[in-house]
Amino acid sequence: MANEEDLNAISTLHDDVYHGIHTDNAEWVDLLTLHRESVRDPVAIRGAGNVTVFGLSNRFDTEFPSALTGKVAPEEFSETLQRINSVLKKTLPVNVKWLFCGCICCCCTLGCSLWPVVCLSKRTRHALEKLLDWENSHLYSKLGLHWRLSKQRCDSSAMVEYCFVRFC
């Protein structure tokens, strides 16, 4: 008899704890759902050029993505991408020339002739990140947006390319 009462007490305690946890979980689920609705998937702007050096395309398409409707004006977005494309227009042709020269001399220099193009590509990425920081601080942070340069895998191959990604 005492053993049966102990089991009933344990069962009642278990039900109370379970319902308490269940109520807490329901609140957490509501909070997570609210958070997921407020944070949308990032918008990635992929390269649209015909030349890619170390993952950087020679230009990005200035077409306004529909996911940004209501968040930023199409003109501001277009001006940002035009500034990005102007940085790429200045730096990437030099990178391509150094890559070509480095590949020609690669056998003689045991690969050391490729170091200049690696350094130039790093400098180009740094210039783009600096430009995006400026754009974020002067315009996009006021709108609750943040742009950054991000590596992403290409859809059709194992190559990695740099994209501009917007986060809320």
Side-chain angles (χ1 to χ4, degrees), residues 30-40:
D30 291 340
L31 289 174
L32 287 173
T33 304
L34 181 65
H35 179 69
R36 282 188 191 137
E37 289 174 359
S38 66
V39 177
R40 293 193 171 93

Side-chain angles (χ1 to χ4, degrees), residues 7-150:
L7 288 176
N8 286 338
I10 291 172
S11 174
T12 305
L13 178 64
H14 179 3
D15 288 342
D16 292 344
V17 169
Y18 174 75
H19 289 300
I21 290 174
H22 182 70
T23 303
D24 291 342
N25 280 344
E27 292 170 4
W28 277 105
V29 168
D30 291 340
L31 289 174
L32 287 173
T33 304
L34 181 65
H35 179 69
R36 282 188 191 137
E37 289 174 359
S38 66
V39 177
R40 293 193 171 93
D41 290 331
V43 176
I45 308 298
R46 294 189 177 270
N50 55 0
V51 176
T52 302
V53 178
F54 290 111
L56 278 175
S57 181
N58 65 332
R59 71 176 188 86
F60 287 86
D61 193 10
T62 57
E63 183 180 329
F64 188 73
S66 61
L68 294 179
T69 303
K71 300 242 183 253
V72 66
E75 298 81 21
E76 293 169 338
F77 175 79
S78 178
E79 288 174 9
T80 298
L81 282 180
Q82 286 174 358
R83 284 190 278 274
I84 288 168
N85 285 338
S86 70
V87 169
L88 291 171
K89 189 176 181 179
K90 291 176 191 171
T91 59
L92 234 47
V94 175
N95 293 7
V96 170
K97 290 175 187 172
W98 276 100
L99 180 62
F100 182 70
C101 292
C103 288
I104 289 175
C105 303
C106 188
C107 294
C108 301
T109 62
L110 300 175
C112 292
S113 59
L114 292 175
W115 277 107
V117 75
V118 170
C119 293
L120 287 171
S121 292
K122 187 174 181 179
R123 183 184 292 178
T124 302
R125 281 194 320 270
H126 181 69
L128 290 174
E129 288 168 351
K130 194 173 176 181
L131 175 65
L132 286 175
D133 286 342
W134 186 88
E135 292 282 342
N136 285 330
S137 66
H138 284 84
L139 174 66
Y140 293 107
S141 64
K142 295 173 187 171
L143 301 173
L145 304 174
H146 180 77
W147 287 99
R148 71 181 183 95
L149 192 62
S150 175

